[in-house]
Each structure stands twice: as structure tokens, then as C-alpha cells.
Amino acid sequence: MVEKGKTPMLDELERGPWPSFVREIKRAGRKKEAPNDLLKQLELSYKDKVTHWKHGGVVGVRGYGGGVIGRYSDSPEEFPNIAAFHTFRVNQPSGWFYTTKALRQICDIWERFGSGLTNFHGSTGDLILLGAPSENIQPCFDALTEEAGFDLGGSASVLRTPSACVGPARCEYACIDTLDLCNDITHTFQDYIHRPHWGYKFKIKISGCPNDCVAAIARADLPIVGTWRGALRIDQDAVREYVNNGFDIENEVVRQCPTEALEWDANLKELRLRAEECVRCMHCINMMPKALRPGVEKGATILIGGKAPLVKGARLGWVLIPFMKLEPPYTELKDLLERIWDWWDEHAMTRERVAELIERLGMAKFLKAIGIEPCPEMVWQPRTNAFIF
Amino acid sequence: MATDIGPPDFRAMLPEVIKKNYGKWKYHEILRPGVLKHVSEDGDILYTIRVGSPRLLAIDTVRDICDIADKFCNGHLRFTSRHNIEFMVTDESKVEPLIQEIRNKLGFPVGGTGRCISNIVHTQGWIHCHTPATDASGVVKAIMDELYEYFVEEKLPAKLRISEACCGNMCGAIHCSDIGIVGMHTRPPSRIDDENFLTWCEIPTTLASCPTAAIRRHTTEDGKKTVRIIEERCMYCGNCYTVCAAMPIAHPEGDGVAIFVGGKVSNAKTPPKFPRLASPWIPNNPPRWPEVVSAVKNIVEVYAKHARKGERLGDWIDRVGWPTFFRLTGIPFTEKHIDDFTGALATYRTSTHLKL
């Protein structure tokens, strides 16, 4: 326990209606000393307005080049219980589904080897175990794999832990089996996840529909976004039920359609779709999920190059393959990934993401190297300049 | 020693009703904030209770969560991409007792669906990171205490996604959120550790890490190889510190946060888009960051008052225009808001479509 009054600023954050992380740290501190030192060091950061973690430090488990983040306090004399306080990234099951048995096993292992603090979950998707001393890293990993059946996720210049939305497990919008695909590629590419093969990180995220609940287009080097070909499905009786219950279909759906593909016939009480105009934005389906559904021929749009700002600015993923069927064993996708990785690995500078490499060398070179034909769906508009040859 | 076993198969984690109806869900409804009802082709029904969490959890709290899932959900549960917990039941009569149990045992709020503010995706901050320009958990706690009503009640025109990243690396992927809060350094690395430079860092890698070529080689008077910064070129991105531990960039007074608004990842109606700068710098003022909290709250309230039903924050701003956004929010527009980085030219107005 931290003595009363030692951490006044953090104590303040125990108040208020939103769940308090301070309360969680204090709760873990009833069983272990490390969380108490963490709280005191954090209080010092609140006072000093800077972090008190040192830069990096290479730690790991035998045979892997990633999955554990080294972390050392810059004031080890003052906070000896967090002098070394390393983090495990534990690869989550697809869609973040758990049994309580699995979670309890992880809790028991983490009680034996670590601080008892976790994140559900980290930004990449992993289950985060926050803070273990150096000597516990290998035994904790051994227990995670052998007793609980969990493995580490990715860190550093590796294939980062793939993640997926809830998909067909609990969403009627899912156009692909996001969970199976995520699980399959995670297992297929274990070597790339655990051992740095490239000059920088590579991320894959899988959303089942264009609502993109895992933010694939913003965050993944290879965003996979479920979609469909042909017309979306309309249940006219269910549409009428919405309208009869007072739903303003004209203003909330028809006039919001970005391509004016919908028309409401108020006399016949029928919603008409010009299927060739629909761009699959999901708005009408989101508004009337009981009446409208994606079409039956399902697959995904494959994009390339999403990333956060460092260093040359954030990039949204660019359309690479407008429509790909995605069914096990996903050979077409896996072959594509290997071709992309080969070209990227061959040409990229250190710490250059695939989007930055494409910008530097040109989309045309990239497409040629990976054997993809250009198509107009790849661009908003063709070039404006005459510097063509 | 086992390696490369990969994660457990998700199929072993699924509740029976999901195994039975996998890929066969027909539609869903939001019964009230935080309570979803999914109906399958076969007529099976699943109720989901969404619960906000602080993300950072003690294992004893995880065990409490497990106790609830054992008692009500046959020992299954899931988490969302925004740090929420989801409990799932098939029996409608269990919904209310389950919510009561969550309230009594965890004290966590139920909500975050539909036109609510969902949980704030965030990063480690001062709790566990070496590059932050601000804390994450504390900023999030302070904001969510103030915006709590928007999590438990559907009071907004559309969904609103807030994210917080403690530096420009943006592990929290804030760069496509409706409101993105990002830690900012505003001073160049000033305490270059010449003693340890060659032990910790490679000079060529460090030079190459700088997007503005602001780092140059330097030899000290006693002959030590190190680097110096051309300060007027530095844009404070911190990329050099990521590759070289001898160049700390954090500064107690220089560090703070910026607020970006109007991003989204969904394709619904309009394409995904980046958020744009609203407030360039607000000081770190722990433990409650009052200036940040009031700035975020102001944006939320102005949006809630003026946007049309179903309109995301960025879509509203695009419709009414940025001059209107700055006028309504009272946020001053400065030279800092005019882009001078890659892609800047595309943001300069090339039309006379102006509201004058």
C-alpha cells in the first residue's frame, strides 16, 4: 500500500463517475509492491510533467526478437520495485473473445510473475501484461505458452499482431469471416510476428464491412475491408415497418445517399435502388438494419499503406484490389502479402513504412513489382500534369 | 519450451449461441445505451451489455469480471476495439440483474453504443512509455468524468469517437477520430548526451531519422563524436529520440497537447478522413488537465447543438465550413492552423465559395 497522502494528485483521480485507473493500480498494490512504486513514480511525473521511464532496453525470450517491451525506471533507487518493469504483448484471440477459464489462467500466471496490472487491450490489439522484472520474463513466457496456451504478439520491426472486428460472430454486416482470416494469417505468419525480418513494422487489420470498426484504413499497412458485389438486399415489408413507425426515410436515408442511388416511392411504399450507382458506404444499412443488408456475393477491398503521422505524415490506405474473394485457405491474399513484403524489404530504407516507399518510388513501380494491373478504382482522379513519360 | 504456437483458436472462446449462429445474424437493435439485441436467421436472440473500463485493470478486477461472466454468461465475454467489456446473454430476464451486478460489483458504466461517446482509445503515457509528451490515462479520466453523461445517454447527433495519443507516434491511432488529442513536444532535443552518444546511438541512423534534415554531425572540444540540432529546422516530432536515446526531447514546460477534430474511419455517407487542427497547444496541467477538458467539452457541445441528426462531427464541419466551426467554437484561428508540411498545398482554398 502507498501511505495516505503520498500521491495527492493521483488520489484526486479516484474521484468522479468514470472508472479510475488509480483505483486499479492501488488494488494491485495490495498484493504486490511494484504497483505502489509505479503509483509513486507516476505522481512524480504529474509533479515534474515528464516521464520517468528510460529509453528502451533490449529484453526478450529465447528464440524471439519481439513481444516483450523493455522498460526501466530513471530513478531505480527511489522506486526499486519498478527498476525493471517490462511489458508483455500477449496475442489476443481473434475478436477479443475469451472464456473466463482462459482469463483466470492468465491472471494466475501474471500474479506469479508480474505486477498484476494489465491493459485490456493495447492499441494494436494485444492483451498487455504491464510490468515484470527481467528474471521473470522467460518463466512467465513459458507459463503463458505451456500452461495457458497463449503466445506473444509482435513488437519492433515485425509483422504486428493482426486484429479483426467482431465479424460474423455477432454482426450481420460482416462480409468476410474476419475472425477466421485473422486467426489463419496470424498462425501462418508466426515467424514474421516473432522475428524481425524487415526494416520496419507491418500491420494487418481486418474489418468485416465498410464501417471499419477496427480502423483498418487508418492504421494498417494492409487494410482489409469487407464489401460485396451486386445489389444490396432490401426487405420491403421491413422498410414499410420502419416508415409506419414514423421513421423519416426521405431525410434520414434517401437524401443522405452519397450517390443518389435510392428512391422512396411514397405511393407504392417501396424503396428502389439503382444498384449500379451504389458505392457500398453502409449508411442506409446502418440506419435500417432490419430492412437492408449487404448483397450476397461477398469479399473484401484490399488497400495498401495506412499509417500514423511519423515521419512524413499520416496516410489512409489506398485501394489496391477493389474486390477479392476471401475464403480459406486465403492463398491469393497470402501470395499477395509475400510479394508486397519482398518488394518492400528489397527497396525500403530503415524505418520506412510501405506507404512511404510507394510515395518515394511511385505507385506504378509498386504495382508492376507485385503484378497488379492498374485500374481506375485505385485513384480519385487521373493525373493533371503532362509529365507522363 | 514451446514457441510459435500462436494465439488460442477464437472458436474455443465463443459462447454456444454464437457458435450456433455464426455468420447467421440477421439484424440488431440498440434497446438503450449500452444494450444491443442481435437476432439471427433462426430467431435466436443475443443481448449484449457494453461496459466502459479504464483499460488499465488489476487482475483482481479481471477476476471480478470473470465472476460476473460465470454467473450470467456461461463463462464467456469479449472486449471491443475501444477498451469496452461486453457481456452477452440469451435470456432477456437476465439483462437487468446483470446490469445491477456490473454496477454493484465493478462500478463501471453501461453505455457507449449508437449516438453516445464511446470509450476513449488511449496509450500508455507517463505510466509506461519513454516518449510521451503528456499522460494518457489521467487525461482520459478527466475528460470522461466531465463527458460521462454522453457515454450513458444517447445525446449526440451521431456517434463521436475520441482518442488520445501521448505523442506523435500516435499508438492510439487518433489520426482518424472525431476528436483526437495528441501529446506535443514544442522544444528541440536540448540535452544531447555527448558522453554516451556513440555508446547508445549511430550517427548515420540519427541523421537519417530527421524529416527536416535538422541534425548535423558535431565533434566536441575534447574530440567526442556527437550531433547538434539546427533548431529553426526542428519540428519537434521526436523521431530522433525514438532511434537515439541520447537525444531526450521531453520538456516540462514545452510539452502539452493539441486537439484535432473531424476525422472518421467509417465509409458511411462520406469517405474516411483525417481530423484537422483545432487547438495547437494546451499546457499539461495535471491531475485534471482543466484547459484540455473544457476545450473538448466546448467542441462536443457546439457540435451537439448545431449538427443535423446522423451527422458526424467532420461531416458537419465540411457542410458548414471551417470558418463557421471556428466562429461557433470561439477557437482562435492562427498561422499554426495553416499547413506547411507534406500535403499542405491541397489545403489552400482555390475557390471563391465564401460565406461573407
Side-chain angles (χ1 to χ4, degrees), chain A residues 16-172:
Chain A
W18 189 251
S20 168
F21 69 98
V22 176
R23 222 174 285 162
E24 295 298 317
I25 298 175
K26 286 190 174 178
R27 189 170 188 190
R30 284 181 222 145
K31 287 188 171 168
K32 300 262 184 173
E33 275 312 312
N36 299 326
D37 272 3
L38 176 68
L39 203 68
K40 284 188 265 183
Q41 180 177 301
L42 187 60
E43 180 78 15
L44 189 63
S45 280
Y46 272 46
K47 190 166 148 267
D48 295 347
K49 300 187 192 180
V50 285
T51 189
H52 283 285
W53 295 107
K54 279 206 285 202
H55 188 294
V58 178
V59 293
V61 299
R62 278 194 297 278
Y64 284 8
V68 188
I69 319 292
R71 193 61 75 223
Y72 295 92
S73 171
D74 73 358
S75 312
E77 296 81 15
E78 212 175 331
F79 311 111
N81 297 297
I82 54 167
F85 197 68
H86 312 307
T87 297
F88 285 88
R89 288 186 181 165
V90 180
N91 199 146
Q92 81 285 5
S94 286
W96 301 286
F97 280 96
Y98 294 92
T99 59
T100 53
K101 182 170 175 255
L103 282 181
R104 286 179 199 282
Q105 273 181 310
I106 288 173
C107 290
D108 292 349
I109 290 166
W110 195 229
E111 184 153 354
R112 260 152 70 202
F113 297 107
S115 70
L117 293 170
T118 68
N119 287 153
F120 282 86
H121 290 80
S123 293
T124 302
D126 300 280
L127 194 177
I128 305 294
L129 301 178
L130 208 60
S134 305
E135 63 274 17
N136 284 4
I137 287 175
Q138 187 67 41
C140 185
F141 170 73
D142 292 343
L144 282 169
T145 51
E146 287 158 22
E147 294 170 30
F150 278 81
D151 200 344
L152 300 188
S155 67
S157 297
V158 300
L159 175 61
R160 297 296 181 88
T161 308
S163 75
C165 71
V166 70
R170 204 205 49 205
C171 185
E172 67 273 21

Side-chain angles (χ1 to χ4, degrees), chain A residues 365-376:
Chain A
K365 273 189 185 152
F366 171 64
L367 294 176
K368 197 168 180 190
I370 62 165
I372 300 285
E373 290 293 322
C375 65

Side-chain angles (χ1 to χ4, degrees), chain A residues 13 15-19, chain B residues 140-148 288:
Chain A
L13 292 178
R15 292 177 45 245
W18 189 251
Chain B
V140 166
K141 165 74 173 146
I143 291 172
M144 286 309 282
D145 275 345
E146 193 66 30
L147 298 179
Y148 184 79
R288 286 217 170 257

Side-chain angles (χ1 to χ4, degrees), chain B residues 322-354:
Chain B
W322 286 95
T324 303
F325 169 82
F326 282 100
R327 181 171 55 77
L328 290 173
T329 57
I331 298 169
F333 185 87
T334 67
E335 79 282 359
K336 301 265 190 298
H337 291 84
I338 298 177
D339 199 344
D340 59 1
F341 195 50
T342 56
L345 289 181
T347 67
Y348 301 163
R349 191 185 294 265
T350 54
S351 85
T352 58
H353 292 191
L354 300 167

Side-chain angles (χ1 to χ4, degrees), chain A residues 324-379:
Chain A
M324 183 191 277
K325 285 259 185 198
L326 278 172
E327 278 152 12
Y330 311 110
T331 311
E332 189 183 356
L333 177 70
K334 290 174 190 171
D335 288 349
L336 173 70
L337 278 165
E338 293 281 11
R339 296 201 300 279
I340 292 169
W341 289 333
D342 269 353
W343 179 77
W344 175 50
D345 194 28
E346 181 73 22
H347 298 283
M349 299 188 291
T350 308
R351 287 170 57 74
E352 188 173 42
R353 295 282 283 274
V354 71
E356 290 163 331
L357 178 63
I358 292 170
E359 282 186 73
R360 185 162 62 82
L361 297 187
M363 183 63 89
K365 273 189 185 152
F366 171 64
L367 294 176
K368 197 168 180 190
I370 62 165
I372 300 285
E373 290 293 322
C375 65
E377 284 81 4
M378 290 175 176
V379 295

Side-chain angles (χ1 to χ4, degrees), chain A residues 306-318:
Chain A
K307 64 181 284 293
L310 279 175
V311 176
K312 289 183 182 154
R315 299 288 178 260
L316 290 166
W318 302 302

